[in-house]
Amino acid sequence: MAIYLNTRSRKDLIIHLMLVVGIILSLFLSFFFVYLPWSTNHGQSITVPDLRKANLEDVKATLSERKLDYIVSDCTFVPGVPPFTVLSQYPFPNSLVKEGRNIYLTVTMATAPMIRMPDLVSTNMGLRSALSLLRSVGLQEGNIRYIPDIAENAVLEQWYQGKKIEPGTQVPKGSKIELVVGNGIGNTELDVPNLIGVSLEEAEIIIKGSDLRMGTILYKQVPGAAPGTVVEQRPAPGIGTKINVGEIIDLWIAGKPDTDTGEGPTEPERN
């Protein structure tokens, strides 16, 4: 049956055009706001739960209730974290997904991978550098034990599970490595050198040549003493007085500090 529109007047033409535009607009809005959401979701949009820190068995039950599934996309070992614990997920928590969507998970491994123990001893590595290297290869800092040795803060031995460990030995990632470190003071005793009367330069040579260390340098006015010479030291020299290798000797120098270099404070005068 044919439908004839009476467009003999201008008013009828405008009305007919408005009807056509209205029909097209209704179809357009219905497609985007009714049909499209219905056809894509069918009312089955699901909020993704937060699976982080959950065990894989619990994850399976949680996703099954929501008609979702999972795929383990990556595994890594984290010391102290139980095996098969979720570390990250995609899509992220609270995302909206369709029924049956796979959630991609990164979980912890059950067994730690083996890595080679680095050499922290023969390279004369300092403690700070050694700890940084341990962390970079996936090992952890264990007990740090100081022993008398002139090499201050130098790593002298490396231990694992109560035994010395050689470089290149395979150990599980995340293992704790114990370090034996020098405290800067040797266990060898020697007589305290007598520095009274010698110049500051000579005193420095004697101290370093004895494997000792320069301490504080103070200046004091001492009548009759040659400027620039040692008039007092700590520890003081004496028969039978001993000092360990690596220990410090403080010096008092006659006169005033070099005004050009500003070297050394002056001891306050005693009344």
Side-chain angles (χ1 to χ4, degrees), residues 50-59 84-87 107:
D50 189 349
L51 306 173
R52 294 169 298 182
K53 299 184 180 180
N55 184 270
L56 209 53
E57 286 298 320
D58 296 331
V59 166
F84 307 115
T85 299
V86 176
L87 298 176
V107 301

Side-chain angles (χ1 to χ4, degrees), residues 4-245:
Y4 296 97
L5 299 176
N6 186 1
T7 58
R8 288 177 296 177
S9 68
R10 184 175 182 183
K11 180 179 180 181
D12 291 338
L13 179 61
I14 294 174
I15 293 174
H16 293 153
L17 289 175
M18 290 178 64
L19 287 173
V20 171
V21 171
I23 292 171
I24 295 174
L25 183 61
S26 298
L27 292 174
F28 178 83
L29 294 175
S30 297
F31 177 80
F32 282 99
F33 293 99
V34 178
Y35 173 76
L36 194 59
W38 176 83
S39 63
T40 55
N41 294 317
H42 293 279
Q44 297 299 320
S45 291
I46 300 171
T47 301
V48 177
D50 189 349
L51 306 173
R52 294 169 298 182
K53 299 184 180 180
N55 184 270
L56 209 53
E57 286 298 320
D58 296 331
V59 166
K60 186 175 181 180
T62 300
L63 293 181
S64 179
E65 292 175 357
R66 292 167 171 78
K67 297 183 180 180
L68 299 173
D69 206 347
Y70 71 89
I71 294 176
V72 176
S73 59
D74 193 15
C75 293
T76 186
F77 180 78
V78 180
V81 179
F84 307 115
T85 299
V86 176
L87 298 176
S88 63
Q89 67 180 85
Y90 184 82
F92 302 115
N94 301 319
S95 300
L96 292 178
V97 297
K98 294 172 62 176
E99 180 181 306
R101 173 68 184 269
N102 285 322
I103 309 301
Y104 296 89
L105 305 176
T106 299
V107 301
T108 54
M109 299 172 60
T111 305
M114 303 298 287
I115 57 178
R116 292 181 179 275
M117 177 66 201
D119 186 358
L120 308 176
V121 178
S122 64
T123 55
N124 295 319
M125 189 172 294
L127 177 59
R128 182 177 297 180
S129 299
L131 294 179
S132 178
L133 178 57
L134 284 179
R135 288 189 288 266
S136 69
V137 299
L139 298 173
Q140 297 188 76
E141 169 190 339
N143 182 49
I144 298 177
R145 182 161 49 95
Y146 288 86
I147 63 173
D149 193 279
I150 191 172
E152 185 176 14
N153 283 326
V155 177
L156 307 176
E157 298 173 5
Q158 51 193 32
W159 290 59
Y160 172 62
Q161 293 185 340
K163 297 180 181 179
K164 286 185 180 181
I165 180 172
E166 296 297 326
T169 304
Q170 296 280 351
V171 293
K173 184 178 180 180
S175 299
K176 290 187 176 181
I177 305 300
E178 177 183 351
L179 301 178
V180 179
V181 181
N183 63 2
I185 301 175
N187 53 11
T188 301
E189 286 189 333
L190 48 84
D191 293 329
V192 175
N194 187 356
L195 306 174
I196 305 299
V198 305
S199 67
L200 175 59
E201 292 76 12
E202 291 177 284
E204 289 180 351
I205 294 174
I206 294 172
I207 288 172
K208 293 178 181 178
S210 303
D211 287 331
L212 299 171
R213 293 185 293 166
M214 288 286 295
T216 303
I217 299 175
L218 295 170
Y219 287 77
K220 63 187 298 186
Q221 299 291 342
V222 178
T229 59
V230 178
V231 293
E232 187 179 339
Q233 68 180 77
R234 184 187 298 139
I239 299 175
T241 304
K242 299 291 184 179
I243 188 172
N244 286 330
V245 168

